[in-house]
Amino acid sequence: MRGTDKPRSSPLVPDSVEAEIARHDWAALVCGCGRPAGHLADMLWDAAEGHPAAFHALQGHVFTGTRLWPPAPAACGVLMAVWSAGPPRQSTRDALLWTLLSLLSAEDDGTAYEAGLYGQCAAHVRAGLPHLRSGVGAAPGTTTAAYVEGILDIIELCA
């Protein structure tokens, strides 16, 4: 990461999130910006550290409008790892949920026989549903709850 062989480390990033970022060959994926997606590891690391702008910066790299790009499933896995490690502080939480909702609002690019990028993202979100559902009960009537409810509605429609 960061163009060196030395892995990035931070006390703000749980080991499970660090492992999820490290398990992907980012450079082998083509980013939405047209370059190899190696730079996404740093963007996701910044997001995992709690920088809300880093989540919004994924637009154009992981998704654009209703289109998903090849790094979307791997990035979604990282986002769900961040959430599952314990919902972050409020501003980070809302940015993370906005990003998940953006991924799930994309067009389904799968076929009857294969999950496309959308199906892979939805699978990551489904795996973390118990953690997401706790976000609704913890803050009824808030932006966080609205985002979680939107995510749950989309996942239930796809079931």
Side-chain angles (χ1 to χ4, degrees), residues 44-56:
L44 289 162
W45 193 272
D46 290 342
E49 284 183 330
H51 304 288
F55 293 97
H56 295 284

Side-chain angles (χ1 to χ4, degrees), residues 38-147:
H39 60 285
L40 288 180
D42 284 334
M43 292 172 80
L44 289 162
W45 193 272
D46 290 342
E49 284 183 330
H51 304 288
F55 293 97
H56 295 284
L58 294 172
Q59 188 170 9
H61 298 274
V62 175
F63 64 96
T64 304
T66 60
R67 177 158 186 201
L68 297 178
W69 297 105
C76 190
V78 172
L79 298 176
M80 289 308 299
V82 170
W83 185 270
S84 296
R89 61 190 166 91
Q90 189 66 46
S91 60
T92 304
R93 181 181 318 152
D94 290 345
L96 187 154
L97 292 170
W98 172 85
T99 306
L100 289 174
L101 192 55
S102 296
L103 292 170
L104 292 175
S105 297
E107 295 175 10
D108 190 347
D109 59 340
T111 68
Y113 305 103
E114 172 180 90
L117 300 173
Y118 182 87
Q120 294 172 56
C121 289
H124 283 295
V125 175
R126 271 190 208 93
L129 282 180
H131 297 287
L132 279 173
R133 282 195 173 96
S134 67
V136 177
T142 64
T143 303
T144 298
Y147 281 142

